[in-house]
Amino acid sequence: MVKIELNDIEIVVLKAMHSRLIYGKHHKKIDTVVRSGFPSHLRGDAKKAILSLIKKSYILWYHRADESIQLNKERYGEIVDIARR
């Protein structure tokens, strides 16, 4: 399996979403995730990290709501490992 490198802010985003159990039917708007837990000077970086995690398939778009995201439940084991670091 290919090891994907994540930067520090991507790891923090995954930890924040995992701690809130944003999987499956549960979803949040990108702005809600960015505003809850990141200081104002890091919100732009957090949004870029979320978009990067979407490309790396750790985060998925939620199909029923605009601009809503959820964690990829098929990568649950990897996300748990990252959250425990």
Side-chain angles (χ1 to χ4, degrees):
M1 184 159 76
V2 176
K3 180 78 171 167
I4 298 175
E5 292 297 320
L6 301 174
N7 64 32
D8 292 339
I9 197 147
E10 290 174 339
I11 292 170
V12 172
V13 168
L14 286 177
K15 285 182 180 182
M17 291 181 69
H18 174 71
S19 70
R20 293 174 179 87
L21 298 176
I22 303 174
Y23 291 94
K25 291 182 183 179
H26 298 83
H27 59 280
K28 297 285 182 208
K29 292 210 175 266
I30 290 178
D31 292 334
T32 303
V33 173
V34 169
R35 280 187 278 115
S36 61
F38 293 96
S40 60
H41 68 281
L42 289 178
R43 289 183 181 161
D45 294 336
K47 192 165 187 174
K48 288 177 188 174
I50 289 171
L51 296 175
S52 173
L53 288 167
I54 290 170
K55 289 178 184 175
K56 295 175 183 177
S57 77
Y58 282 100
I59 295 177
L60 304 173
W61 290 109
Y62 185 69
H63 63 284
R64 292 188 178 189
D66 291 338
E67 295 291 312
S68 291
I69 55 174
Q70 64 188 4
L71 290 170
N72 187 351
K73 60 185 172 184
E74 293 177 5
R75 298 186 89 173
Y76 180 80
E78 291 176 61
I79 293 170
V80 169
D81 290 342
I82 291 167
R84 289 184 180 165
R85 286 191 211 167

